[in-house]
Each structure stands twice: as C-alpha cells, then as structure tokens.
C-alpha cells in the first residue's frame, strides 16, 4: 500500500480516542488491497466517521457520505445495515464464504439476499464498517454505491448465459456497465438513486419495465453478419407512485449502450429534482419533460462524453470452471416424492445440453453464516463456481450435470435448502420491514412466513405455480416489489375510532405481474385490512380464483376481467373493525401492542444546504478534478470541476435563502441573483454559458486543463466573496 495512504490514515487514527488493537489490524487489511483507489475510499470513510463524531460534519451530510459507501442506518440505534453490491448477483464460493465469515465477525451472522441481487449484513457497528469493507475487498467485493443517490447495483436475469430463450448472454454487458459507472463522477450525488436492469429475453425476467433504464437483448443481420443490440426502456419505477418504463428504442447497437446510458444519467444529474425527495426519481423528470426532450438533452451531452462508442469485451468475459466429476447417488425412498417435485419446479434445463440450473428457495432471503459456508462447499462441488443471487431472494446454481442431480439434492436437503417451490406462490418475496428498516410501518418477514405456510399446507398445488406470486413490503416504497405481484401487500396501519387505538394493517394490491408476452402490469390498491386477517384474505382470494378463473388464465388477466370492485366487495368483511380481538393489536412476531414507529428513511442521501459544507465539498471536488486531469481522465476531471462550480453557486444562493430545485436552476438563479446584479463578474458575461461549456466541448486535455483552472479560480473568488458578506 502506498506510504501516503498509510501515513494519512494513521495520522487520522493517532488523533482518535478509540485507537485500539482492532485499528492496528485494520492497517494490515488495507495493505492487502492492491487497488490504491479502493484503499483511499475506505480511508475516507474512516476519516468521515471520525469527523462526524467530532461534530465537523453534520448528520445529513454524513448520511449522504456513508450511504454512497453502502452503510445504511437501522431502526435499532447504534448499528448499521451494510449492503454488499454484487453486479447481476454474481458470486463465487470463496466470496460467499468471505461474506459469511464477516457476517459472524461484524454482524448478526445472517446473510440477507435482496431484490436487487445484493446481500445485506445487519447489526454492524459504524466504527467497524471501514474494516469490514477492507476485508470484503480482499475478495473483490465492494460496498461502493450500494445505497445513496447513485447508480445502484446493476441487475440481470439470474439465468443469463444459460437461458434457452436468450439471443446472447447479457452478463458481460451488465458487468461492464457496473465497472463503468462505479466511482464515476457523473453519478455520485444525484437527486435520487438510478436503477438499471438487463433481461435475458423478451420474457423480461429481470423486470426491466420497472427500471430507470432497462435493456432486453436483440440481434439483427446486417450485410450477412449478426449484430447484437438492445431494446431500451426508459423511466420505470415503483415506490408510492409506480410507473411503467417507456420503450424508446427497438434496437440500440451494443457499442452505443454505455454512451447512451451515460448521456441519460448526465441529464438526470443536471435536470433532476433535488429539493422534493418524493419527486426526485427519473420517472418524474421524464413525465415533466417528455421523452422527446429527454432524448434531445441526452443528444446535447454527446460531445462531452469520453466515449462516443464503447466496445464491450464480450469474448473476454471470465467464465468459471465447471466440475467434471460424477457422483453416482440415489435418493432415499422416503424422499423420492420430494425429489421429483424439486426436479419439476426448482430445476431447469440450460441451453447447454446435459446441464441444468438449480434454484435455491430461501424464506425471506435469509441464510445463516454456518449454512452459507456449507452451501458454498456444495455449490463448488456440483456446479460452476459462478452462482447468482436472484431478484426473488434466492440463489441459482448453474452447470449441474444431469447425472449429479440426485447427489446435489441429497447434499442440499441435508442443509434444508432443497425445498420445492422456487419462484412460485409458495416463495414469497419480503423486505426486512420492521425487523430493521426505519421506514417500515408493519412487519413483513413474519407475515411472509405465515402466508407461505398457508400455501404449502392448504394449497400445495400452488407450489408448482410460477404464474402467480406474493410480494410484501413494510411500507409503500416497494422494496419488496409488491406493486408488481399477483397479490401485493405493503405494511400500513389502521385506527380504531372507538377506542382510539392503532393496529397493524396490510394494504392489498392485486393484478400485478408479467404477462405471457413479457408485458408488465402494475397492481391496483384494493383494500386495507388488519394484519392478523392476512391469512384469511389469502384463502378467500385463492378459493375465489379456483372457483371462477378460466383454465390457464393468469391472475392479472383474471383481476382485469373481474374488476377492482369485485375484489373489494369480496374482501370487505375483513376490513370490519367492529369485530376486532386483542390479538389484532399485535403485529406478527411481536408480543407488545403495536404502535407506528417510523423515522426519516435512508433510501437516498439528503441534500444538505449549508454554506460551509458546500464550500468544503467544492475544495474536495477541485482536488478530485486535479487528480483526474493529472491521470489523463479528462472527462472525469471536467465533471468534478463542473460539480465544484455548481456547489459554489448553490452556497451563495443559500446565503440569500434562494432555493433552486435542480442544477440548471441553480445556474440560472446564480446569474439572476449575482451576475446580472453586478455582484460577481463572469468571463463571457453569463454563468450559465461559463459552466455549461462542459457539454459543448470534447473532453480533451487542453479543455480539461483550462476548465479546471478557471473553475478553481472562480470558486476561490466566490469563497472570498462569501467571507466578505459574512463579515458585513
């Protein structure tokens, strides 16, 4: 590790009251990381934690800083959730063991799989999070931009590369997209998060229709050659106001994939809402400006892009080895029925002849450390050392030889990981809810377990049903993706007017999902009922479907045929609060009476409008710009300098109590409040023209050096101007 980083880090540590043997061991962990950029990132997190403790960084700004590094506050005080970013859910056995070991050492010993193919660790001390990160990076596992106002984890179909329906493997594209935007200056401090997904076919198994950018692979023949490209969808999202993505290109050539995505993200960074958090997602910007204007603004960014064309190294995608040994085993007679069902619903043939993919159903996406280590050993023995976390919180093993299926089943069953029903009605997706999240209103995980048991024990035929699903979120924000479920549920509350007491409730949505043609459907809110009546609601819905649905009719189609009012009247008796019993005032898994306990959520960083903080950021961004230009990363250097100019302008606007909702309005307001009044002079006469040269020039060395020098001088001028104003 370079001596500069070590020296700086231990200068910081020498000033801490908490320097311990743990911190000394942390030094060796840093030295084992080869990438100096990663080392610096971890050191910065440790430094910022101490600056926050010392009162030199306020709570809101610190929240934004740590979220961009995967550190998320829990409902429980004093501990954090650490989100591990796994591009398209890809894991090796070694990485899974590393995560399992660290879950025990630093957290609760549980690995929680998420709907974005991440893994979360809970109950981690904030002080120890840099050390945890350092140990993860030794196996090439990052936390960077797993949370916050960033490009979140790039997701993709878990069967990418083995899907018989795919025109080609999308994993190399997802991987390159992940690498390209990681630590990219254009997406570090946007108004909100930005999500990207790659589906392997028109079936849209990665749910591209709910993403800010969604890609579906396509091929066409040009002059006798097969050309790869993508259907592009733009502006989808869930949350309290869900929106379907709009198809904008039927075929975008593969070398345009990253340039186009960067242009869109640049537009979002500059034009996206930054004051009203609930309106800050890209879907709202798309609605406000329209598709044509968004594409026009994206075209304006073309000249500033460092890559007008970007070739994806498709042939260089690293493939893990596949075990060749055959393990001739038989399944015990008492397990033959379970084995047959497991093969029917959890095992799928690959496009590679003789090989199968095997799905692992995980209740609530949870896997304890000891079982995770044993699972890693089984996976490495029977499958390719490249398995995937799925968007429904399970795992997929790939390249299992057909002859090894009985032996694999035996090994998985011994770990209680061979339960049939993956991605069926009996495989409920659920966010952590009130177990750990500040935003959750009522429980998600315990009610998910109860409803799964209803399906398995009372409606076993639905264990085979992959066309229906149940998804649960602890609040309307839809981390559990309830908006696109056949039966969607989000946590809520009800108030009994007679005794003025509050009880936990479930808001039911029906009719979401993906149709036979890959088209997505959003569920509709139908009714809110007490939580403890959830099992009875499920029974009523399934009994009704069995009685009145036509043969082969998907649930979304049945819902549309019957209509919302039909289902409201069906479930209305469950909403009657005159028949409440004492148990209704207890949430699932709790023994004390329910009360609503929510705080400010951390799904995205909060923008902090403090003059001193903004000027501190200006200095940091100028420093980053200087480093990037010196390193030959001219586009990055230009963008850092641009961000410094915007922050400096925003600081002076705040001093006048002028609020601007996006970067463009900051620039325009600064012209009006300072330039046009003669308080500040700008070369060329307009701050807007001065700043937005960024998208009217090629990112050459000469322009980067000039823009940086002028940004540095101008921000210093603004800083001195503000100091004089403070004295006055």
């Amino acid at each position: 590790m370079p001596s500069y980083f070590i020296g700086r880090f231990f200068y910081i540590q020498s000033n801490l009251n908490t320097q311990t043997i743990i911190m000394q061991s942390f030094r060796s962990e840093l030295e084992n990381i080869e990438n100096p950029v990663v080392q610096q990132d971890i050191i910065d997190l440790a430094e910022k934690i101490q600056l926050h403790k010392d009162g030199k960084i306020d709570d809101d700004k610190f929240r934004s800083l740590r979220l961009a590094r995967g550190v998320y506050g829990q409902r429980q005080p004093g501990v954090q959730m650490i989100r591990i970013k796994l591009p398209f859910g890809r894991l090796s056995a070694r990485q899974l063991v590393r995560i399992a070991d660290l879950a025990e050492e630093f957290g609760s010993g549980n690995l929680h799989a998420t709907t974005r193919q991440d893994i979360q660790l809970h109950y981690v001390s904030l002080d120890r999070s840099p050390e945890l990160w350092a140990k993860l990076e030794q196996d090439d596992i990052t936390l960077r931009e797993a949370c916050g106002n960033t490009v979140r984890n790039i997701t993709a179909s878990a069967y990418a590369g083995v899907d018989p329906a795919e025109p080609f493997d999308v994993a190399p594209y997802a991987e390159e997209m992940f690498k390209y935007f990681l630590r990219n200056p254009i997406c570090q401090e946007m108004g909100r998060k930005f999500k990207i997904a790659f589906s392997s076919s028109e079936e849209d198994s990665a749910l591209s229709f709910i993403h800010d950018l969604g890609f579906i692979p396509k091929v066409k023949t040009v002059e006798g050659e097969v050309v790869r490209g993508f259907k592009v969808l733009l502006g989808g999202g869930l949350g309290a106001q869900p929106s379907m993505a709009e198809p904008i290109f039927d075929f975008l050539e593969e070398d345009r994939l990253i340039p186009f995505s960067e242009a869109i993200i640049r537009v979002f960074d500059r034009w996206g809402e930054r004051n009203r958090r609930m309106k800050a997602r890209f879907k709202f910007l798309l609605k406000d400006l329209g598709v044509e204007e968004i594409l026009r603004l994206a075209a304006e960014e073309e000249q500033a892009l460092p890559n007008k064309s970007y070739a994806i190294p498709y042939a260089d995608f690293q493939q893990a080895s596949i075990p060749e040994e055959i393990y001739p085993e038989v399944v015990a007679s008492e397990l033959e029925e379970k084995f047959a069902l497991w093969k029917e619903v959890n095992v799928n043939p690959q496009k590679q002849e003789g090989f199968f993919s095997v799905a692992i159903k995980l209740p609530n996406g949870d896997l304890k450390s000891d079982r995770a280590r044993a699972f890693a050993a089984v996976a490495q023995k029977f499958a390719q050392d490249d398995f995937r976390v799925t968007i429904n919180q399970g795992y997929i093993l790939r390249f299992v030889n057909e002859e090894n299926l009985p032996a694999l089943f035996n090994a998985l069953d011994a770990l209680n990981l061979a339960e049939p029903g993956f991605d069926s009605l009996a495989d409920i997706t659920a966010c952590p809810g009130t177990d750990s999240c500040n935003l959750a209103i009522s429980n998600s995980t315990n009610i998910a377990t109860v409803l799964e048991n209803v399906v398995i024990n009372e409606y076993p035929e639905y264990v085979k049903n992959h066309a229906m699903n149940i998804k649960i979120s602890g609040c309307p924000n839809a981390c559990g993706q309830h908006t696109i479920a056949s039966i969607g549920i989000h946590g809520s509350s009800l108030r009994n007017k007679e005794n003025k007491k509050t009880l936990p409730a479930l808001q039911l949505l029906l009719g979401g999902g993906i149709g036979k043609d890959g088209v997505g459907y959003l569920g509709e809110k139908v009714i809110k009922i007490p939580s403890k009546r959830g099992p009875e609601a499920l029974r009523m819905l399934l009994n009704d479907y069995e009685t009145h649905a036509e043969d082969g009719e998907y649930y979304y189609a049945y819902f549309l045929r019957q209509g919302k009012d039909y289902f409201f009247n069906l479930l209305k008796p469950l909403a009657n609060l005159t028949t409440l019993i004492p148990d209704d005032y207890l949430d699932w898994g709790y023994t004390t009476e329910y009360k609503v306990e929510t705080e400010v959520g951390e799904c995205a960083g909060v923008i902090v409008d403090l003059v001193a903080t903004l000027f501190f950021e200006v200095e940091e961004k100028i420093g980053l710009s200087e480093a990037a230009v010196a390193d030959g990363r001219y586009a990055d250097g230009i963008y850092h300098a641009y961000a410094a100019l915007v922050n400096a302008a925003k600081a002076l606007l705040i001093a006048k109590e002028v609020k601007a909702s996006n970067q463009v309005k900051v620039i325009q307001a600064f012209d009006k409040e300072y330039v046009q009044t003669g308080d500040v002079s700008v070369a060329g006469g307009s701050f807007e023209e001065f700043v937005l040269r960024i998208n009217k020039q090629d990112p050459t060395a000469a322009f980067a050096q000039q823009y940086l020098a002028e940004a540095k001088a101008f921000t210093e001028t603004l800083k001195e101007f503000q100091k004089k104003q403070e004295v006055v």
Side-chain angles (χ1 to χ4, degrees), residues 419-439:
E419 295 308 305
F422 176 84
D423 201 25
S424 71
L425 193 70
D427 188 9
I428 297 177
T429 300
C431 73
T434 51
D435 291 351
S436 61
C437 181
N438 284 326
L439 283 173

Side-chain angles (χ1 to χ4, degrees), residues 63 66-67 70-82 122 126 147 436-439 600-602:
R63 181 184 296 116
R66 61 175 166 77
L67 284 170
V71 183
Y72 189 106
Q74 284 189 204
R75 175 179 289 255
Q76 296 79 9
V79 291
Q80 312 293 313
M81 177 270 283
I82 302 297
H122 291 88
L126 177 62
C147 308
S436 61
C437 181
N438 284 326
L439 283 173
V600 175
E602 296 196 342

